[in-house]
Amino acid sequence: MVTPIKMKLLQAGSKQLHSRYLYDHIRKCLSSATTPRSTRMGTGHGGLMPPGDDALIAGSTPDLVRSLRSQVEVKPHFITEEEECALMEELEPGLRKKRYEFDHWDDAIHGYRETERVSWGLACAGVLTRVRSVAFPEGGLLLGPVHILDLDKAGYIKPHIDSVKFCGSTIAGLSLLSDSVMRLVREGSGDERLELLLPRRSLYILRDQARYDFNHEILKDEESVFRGRRIPRQRRISVICRNLPS
Ligand code: OGA
Ligand code: MN
């Protein structure tokens, strides 16, 4: 674990240039006017789901949850603690050389550093094969490099839709180191919302309408609440696979 103090030292010692724009081209940040931040979805709302994996998805209405059921998945315990460690061992040395970006108000992401990776060690390659086999149809073309996004504890992702020019119909992400809450809001209609609880070591998948018609965001620590329950946000790393537009 890198403590905040250690992080400061690492940043101070780092001479490497950071690549702020690495993944800018895949995100279209939406203006806050289209994404009103209305009430959170607590237990009083109609979108309550039966227990099981569905307990990780809350919607503004049961109909909305039903209509997106095949397009939004959260799979808890998708990787083991050992696999999380193997991923961290591969990713941490490279990430540590970059610094977190905080001060660009126009960025879709606040408090982050990112990289991409094409080739992996054996343990990690196995995990990625599993992600791809559950998330993407066989034979489809995938975006070669896997995207790694490291959010500081104070970092968050603002509402955006991934570029339709660079990314296809499916986005699949592993969450490492921290639980978090992802919110989806239908573009142009703040009333239609889903919230996903993304437990540490889970995999989420967004497909089709959920990916094209809804913006997604990762809530900041102060707002990180799911069904009325506070979900503390720590540093969080996501490992994201995407396919190519067809
Ligand atoms: C992105 C994004 C989500 C995540 O990088 O475009 O939405 O899980 N990331 O980190
Ligand atoms: Mn995105």
Side-chain angles (χ1 to χ4, degrees), residues 27 160 162 171 216 242:
R27 299 183 194 103
H160 68 280
D162 287 17
I171 303 166
H216 56 274
R242 297 178 170 91

Side-chain angles (χ1 to χ4, degrees), residues 138-157:
E138 219 172 306
L141 286 179
L142 303 184
L143 201 69
V146 175
H147 175 200
I148 315 300
L149 183 64
D150 178 351
L151 276 186
D152 180 75
K153 177 176 167 50
Y156 57 95
I157 305 181

